[in-house]
Amino acid sequence: MKGMDLHEEISSQYALSPQDSARLKSIVQTHHALGVAAAATNTCTSLIARRIGAPAHAVWPLVRDFANPQRYKHFIKSCHMREGDSGVMSVRDVVVISGLPASTSVKRLEVLEDDRRVLSFRVIGGDHRLHDYRSVTSVNEVTTIEEERKVMTLVLESYVVQIPQGNTCEDAKLFADTIVKLNLQKLEEVVMASLNKEKMKEDMHDGDEKC
């Protein structure tokens, strides 16, 4: 997404309430304004949004689990904690599945705010093409104003990355955007599957009580 008013584009796309639209503006400006970091000619930035039909408390535990990114990230084969216990400044070694222009990645957790549901990590090593990659993810509970008001979660993920030699900014964004979008799609699938499983258990329990 591009433009001066990213929050307005997102608010319109996902039919957010006026209150949530105003709050989203503050969230984008506070956590996802990577324009300064991307001012250098050899870097680019992007912001991806995904709406999930579940409350934020069902989404955040998956996002904040720095030690187990493979729970919803498509292209991770395995993950090993090199330093820390998944708190700030922890470092993880990731092995990437075959077929990608990468084999390993070393990432350091730099921000973890449970009260605001914000996580940020930086790639600090490994064999891959996303050099100087920094990502910020926020998990935001919102209310839509479509046919009926619903509480949902809007996940925002922004990043800044160095443009690989021989590539353009658009090339780098196409690659990174695709990975982020697929990861957020899988996040939604995992969250909704878990909620549906819980609902089935509740329905079975209610049925047993009526017998």
Side-chain angles (χ1 to χ4, degrees), residues 26-173:
S26 176
I27 291 169
V28 170
Q29 292 176 340
T30 302
H31 302 295
H32 300 283
L34 296 175
V36 174
T41 57
N42 66 331
T43 60
C44 63
T45 186
S46 186
L47 172 63
I48 309 296
R50 181 87 184 187
R51 188 178 67 177
I52 299 177
H57 68 76
V59 181
W60 177 239
L62 283 165
V63 174
R64 79 175 306 284
D65 191 359
F66 189 69
N68 297 285
Q70 66 272 26
R71 293 175 68 187
Y72 76 91
K73 295 196 173 186
H74 271 281
F75 305 104
I76 295 179
K77 184 177 181 180
S78 63
C79 176
H80 170 73
M81 293 301 295
R82 178 189 294 190
E83 300 176 14
D85 57 357
S86 297
V88 174
M89 302 309 292
S90 294
V91 177
R92 72 187 184 201
D93 291 325
V94 168
V95 177
V96 181
I97 64 172
S98 60
L100 289 177
S103 58
T104 61
S105 180
V106 183
K107 300 176 180 180
R108 181 176 64 217
L109 182 62
E110 301 198 328
V111 175
L112 182 63
E113 299 183 8
D114 284 311
D115 55 338
R116 298 184 178 182
R117 294 190 289 265
V118 176
L119 177 146
S120 177
F121 68 82
R122 184 185 299 270
V123 175
I124 60 174
D127 179 15
H128 54 83
R129 61 181 295 183
L130 297 178
H131 298 290
D132 294 330
Y133 184 92
R134 181 166 63 90
S135 169
V136 180
T137 303
S138 65
V139 175
N140 312 284
E141 193 162 277
V142 297
T143 302
T144 64
I145 53 173
E146 296 175 317
E147 295 180 1
E148 56 181 294
R149 298 176 70 88
K150 293 181 179 180
V151 174
M152 296 187 174
T153 296
L154 185 64
V155 182
L156 302 178
E157 184 163 346
S158 56
Y159 67 82
V160 59
V161 65
Q162 185 180 97
I163 302 171
Q165 188 172 5
N167 290 90
T168 66
C169 180
E170 291 305 313
D171 293 332
K173 285 182 63 175

